Amino acid sequence: MSEQSNQPSHVPNERDPLIGSRYIKGPISQYIHYISKFLKKLQFIKIFTIALIIGTFFTLHGSEKPEGYVIYNANIYTVDEKNPKIEAFTVLDGKFVDVGTRLDLLQKWTNLKPVDLQGRTVIPGLIDAHAHLMHLGDALTSVNLIGAKSTEEVIQRIHEYIKTHPDKNEWITGWGWDQTLWPSKSFPTSNDLDIDPILSQYAISLVRIDGHALWVNGRILDILVKDKIPLEIDGGEIVKDKETGQLTGIFVDNAMKLIYQISPQPTDQQLSANLKAAIYEMHSHGLTGIHDAGVLPKLLKFYKNTILSNPQDFNIRNYAMVECDDNIYCGDQIEKIEGLGDGRLTIRSAKMFMDGALGSWGAALLEPYSDDPTKQGLLISDPALFPPVISRWMDDDFQVNTHCIGDKANHLIINAYGKCFKDYILSKQNGKNITEEELIKEVKKLGESVRFRIEHAQILTLDDIKRVGELNIIPSMQPTHATSDMKYAEQRLGSERIKGAYAWRSFIDAGVKAFPLSSDFPIESVNPFLGFYAAITRKWTNGDSV
């Protein structure tokens, strides 16, 4: 999600640039320099991944795909320290089989189709380390609300969608509204939609840009009232008017389930269409792999069935994280999979959720929000639930990855991971005494082995950043979150708490060894180069940060 130049001020932790040649050596530093230099000048750059080039060439030329081809006359990065840049390569039966000079390969592989890229840049397909494949498909096939500057613009976009989708009957969904872009900066209400006589004919459900809040119209509220909704819901908020107590049409985090329970469920045909749309979008930006951050068991079955029946419809590498309802353990429903369909699907990790998101005041904080002292965020589940569930996933040899935005959520999950590590080490001693020093050493080794992650690791105390390094926990972070949030993050957190927000350099200084970066699409743009740009510059794409 691109930001505009007229946004308020503060760049959190400007002392914490993520990437620099001091830390990244070899061909990657050359590539980072290349991207940084040209993004600043051109705003975008035409970079073709190998997968994208091959597909585009044969689509444009209308040819049947040959058994192989020779790619030449290109600026080719291999990410191989011994051979970082090459002039040409050969693909045979879908595999890379040879690299070398243009002349050598064209003479050697005379029976294959030559492809002249006319000096374009080629890089290996990229992997997004935290994203949501089917949410992207949903977003691409519903009303696009990203960047809308007012409720009036939201209504206008819904009208345009209705005109171009006459097959839509009663229920309309949308994705991407963000009240922080609007003059009021406050949550919208059902009345904002109901004032339009055309929209009142539909049930309308719109997801906030962070995926942690729903905005619905009066027609949906009428259905809910008949079902007698609860006064409160654990781990969520049913937003009500402070004066009248009436429902406003906003449902945050766990309260969103009330809407999803009455929403029409997608058919297999709709799921297939969403999947194709999402994968096409990934490929168009050079992405060939994804860490799919939260997939319910029924969707995992859909993935598997698609790969077994129509593998051509699943041409990505998906490292899927199992998501269980209410953070409970559901490993007994899950088949552990390693590289199904020539590497298309791997299932050996679990996704848990500790809190909500900063933009919807759902990130769980140790102290109240600076811009709304009545709020302190939301814990999705009882923190006491986490250690026993995490331990069961450990016994299954599953990686555990937990969504944590606020400093309270991060503090709690570090405690939970640390407890699980210690309990595991102690359970293996068979009565043997172990010193505290030995225990700390073994815990650190175990942390490096199991590679548990904190998804987002967005706001932490400075002490907890150190603990992440000490336990060898992996912070999985999104550079574009820092640039998207910087227009309001300090307002939410205050000048002191912001020092532990988006603190990438601080994590490196704390000894963090692995640093998977990602977009969290569709919350942010699918384009991975926007993440490179944000990580390097901490600026919006127009070059501004204030």
Side-chain angles (χ1 to χ4, degrees):
M1 180 177 63
S2 300
E3 301 291 352
Q4 302 301 314
S5 61
N6 57 346
Q7 303 295 348
S9 59
H10 189 73
V11 184
N13 293 337
E14 223 167 14
R15 66 181 181 81
D16 276 352
L18 171 60
I19 299 172
S21 57
R22 177 182 167 193
Y23 290 91
I24 308 290
K25 300 179 180 179
I28 290 293
S29 65
Q30 300 168 19
Y31 175 61
I32 294 295
H33 173 74
Y34 173 81
I35 292 294
S36 178
K37 178 180 177 182
F38 283 91
L39 275 175
K40 290 176 184 177
K41 290 184 178 180
L42 303 179
Q43 298 296 320
F44 69 95
I45 184 167
K46 292 183 178 178
I47 295 181
F48 292 75
T49 67
I50 292 168
L52 183 58
I53 293 167
I54 292 170
T56 302
F57 176 82
F58 292 106
T59 300
L60 292 177
H61 291 267
S63 305
E64 290 188 8
K65 188 175 180 181
E67 294 183 357
Y69 27 82
V70 178
I71 303 287
Y72 71 96
N73 189 16
N75 186 30
I76 303 167
Y77 289 84
T78 66
V79 199
D80 178 354
E81 291 187 3
K82 295 180 180 178
N83 198 13
K85 288 184 68 175
I86 57 175
E87 186 179 326
F89 62 86
T90 301
V91 174
L92 188 64
D93 294 328
K95 306 290 184 183
F96 295 98
V97 297
D98 206 356
V99 298
T101 67
R102 174 188 64 84
L103 192 59
D104 287 345
L105 295 192
L106 290 177
Q107 289 178 347
K108 182 177 179 180
W109 301 93
T110 56
N111 60 323
L112 299 182
K113 179 77 174 180
V115 180
D116 181 354
L117 289 184
Q118 302 175 1
R120 291 183 175 90
T121 293
V122 180
I123 61 173
L126 299 173
I127 302 169
D128 195 309
H130 178 114
H132 305 274
L133 184 65
M134 296 306 289
H135 287 320
L136 174 61
D138 290 340
L140 291 170
T141 55
S142 63
V143 185
N144 179 3
L145 303 176
I146 296 174
K149 296 297 188 295
S150 64
T151 57
E152 291 78 13
E153 186 175 348
V154 168
I155 291 173
Q156 178 185 346
R157 293 195 188 187
I158 298 173
H159 272 285
E160 292 169 355
Y161 181 85
I162 292 172
K163 290 178 183 177
T164 56
H165 295 78
D167 56 324
K168 287 291 181 181
N169 295 321
E170 292 189 354
W171 199 288
I172 291 176
T173 59
W175 174 279
W177 60 272
D178 181 358
Q179 84 283 358
T180 68
L181 300 178
W182 304 345
S184 69
K185 310 295 182 187
S186 58
F187 276 146
T189 70
S190 59
N191 292 335
D192 294 323
L193 298 172
D194 293 340
I195 59 174
D196 188 285
I198 294 178
L199 299 194
S200 63
Q201 301 173 35
Y202 297 87
I204 299 176
S205 173
L206 310 174
V207 184
R208 192 184 183 277
I209 187 64
D210 57 13
H212 285 265
L214 275 171
W215 170 23
V216 303
N217 69 345
R219 188 160 181 178
I220 291 179
L221 292 182
D222 289 341
I223 299 172
L224 286 176
V225 170
K226 292 177 182 177
D227 291 342
K228 297 182 179 180
I229 66 171
L231 294 176
E232 295 182 354
I233 189 164
D234 291 338
E237 182 182 6
I238 304 169
V239 180
K240 298 175 183 177
D241 186 281
K242 293 180 180 179
E243 295 181 358
T244 67
Q246 297 297 309
L247 301 180
T248 66
I250 295 293
F251 297 79
V252 181
D253 288 313
N254 281 350
M256 297 165 65
K257 295 177 183 179
L258 297 171
I259 307 300
Y260 289 135
Q261 287 169 359
I262 63 173
S263 302
Q265 297 303 301
T267 64
D268 286 346
Q269 184 178 5
Q270 289 171 326
L271 288 175
S272 295
N274 290 354
L275 177 65
K276 289 179 181 179
I279 291 177
Y280 182 88
E281 185 73 7
M282 283 181 60
H283 286 172
S284 73
H285 291 285
L287 290 167
T288 57
I290 178 178
H291 293 192
D292 206 347
V295 187
L296 295 169
K298 63 181 180 181
L299 270 181
L300 291 174
K301 292 178 181 178
F302 167 72
Y303 285 177
K304 180 180 177 181
N305 291 338
T306 300
I307 292 168
L308 294 177
S309 59
N310 299 295
Q312 71 279 1
D313 291 341
F314 209 97
N315 276 336
I316 55 171
R317 302 290 180 261
N318 191 328
Y319 181 75
M321 306 177 196
V322 179
E323 178 184 338
C324 308
D325 287 333
D326 301 320
N327 281 324
I328 63 173
Y329 171 80
C330 65
D332 49 354
Q333 305 173 38
I334 302 301
E335 176 187 2
K336 193 174 184 180
I337 293 175
E338 191 75 43
L340 177 69
D342 195 24
R344 284 175 168 83
L345 180 63
T346 293
I347 303 173
R348 53 177 170 82
S349 66
K351 173 75 178 294
M352 302 184 73
F353 295 84
M354 184 65 81
D355 67 345
L358 186 67
S360 47
W361 293 276
L365 301 180
L366 292 167
E367 300 293 337
Y369 277 84
S370 296
D371 64 344
D372 188 346
T374 67
K375 297 182 183 296
Q376 204 166 330
L378 298 167
L379 292 174
I380 301 301
S381 299
D382 183 346
L385 170 150
F386 284 81
V389 173
I390 291 169
S391 293
R392 293 193 69 179
W393 285 118
M394 282 184 72
D395 292 340
D396 292 344
D397 197 26
F398 268 57
Q399 181 187 45
V400 177
N401 312 309
T402 307
H403 165 112
C404 297
I405 300 287
D407 53 10
K408 182 176 182 178
N410 280 286
H411 183 76
L412 289 170
I413 201 59
I414 295 168
N415 289 348
Y417 284 171
K419 173 177 170 49
C420 291
F421 293 168
K422 288 182 180 180
D423 289 349
Y424 182 86
I425 296 299
L426 293 174
S427 71
K428 302 298 181 182
Q429 299 308 306
N430 297 318
K432 176 185 172 182
N433 290 328
I434 182 172
T435 68
E436 185 66 23
E437 184 178 351
E438 290 172 331
L439 179 60
I440 291 172
K441 184 177 180 180
E442 289 301 313
V443 162
K444 194 174 184 70
K445 286 170 58 178
L446 179 61
E448 188 168 14
S449 174
V450 299
R451 297 174 64 80
F452 281 7
R453 291 168 38 166
I454 300 178
E455 302 303 313
H456 310 304
Q458 199 162 304
I459 305 155
L460 288 82
T461 66
L462 300 183
D463 286 340
D464 278 341
I465 289 175
K466 294 177 183 177
R467 293 172 67 207
V468 169
E470 291 167 357
L471 291 171
N472 273 325
I473 297 168
I474 298 173
S476 170
M477 305 178 78
Q478 299 72 40
T480 47
H481 281 355
T483 52
S484 290
D485 294 356
M486 67 182 175
K487 63 184 178 294
Y488 63 83
E490 189 172 10
Q491 298 170 19
R492 292 274 197 278
L493 301 173
S495 59
E496 284 302 310
R497 238 177 339 201
I498 198 70
K499 294 176 181 178
Y502 320 94
W504 309 321
R505 172 61 62 201
S506 297
F507 278 110
I508 293 173
D509 292 344
V512 168
K513 298 177 181 178
F515 221 112
L517 298 184
S518 55
S519 69
D520 199 14
F521 70 65
I523 284 82
E524 304 284 354
S525 170
V526 181
N527 187 347
F529 301 109
L530 297 181
F532 281 114
Y533 182 74
I536 295 164
T537 68
R538 292 212 185 220
K539 294 181 178 180
W540 294 305
T541 53
N542 62 9
D544 290 343
S545 63
V546 292

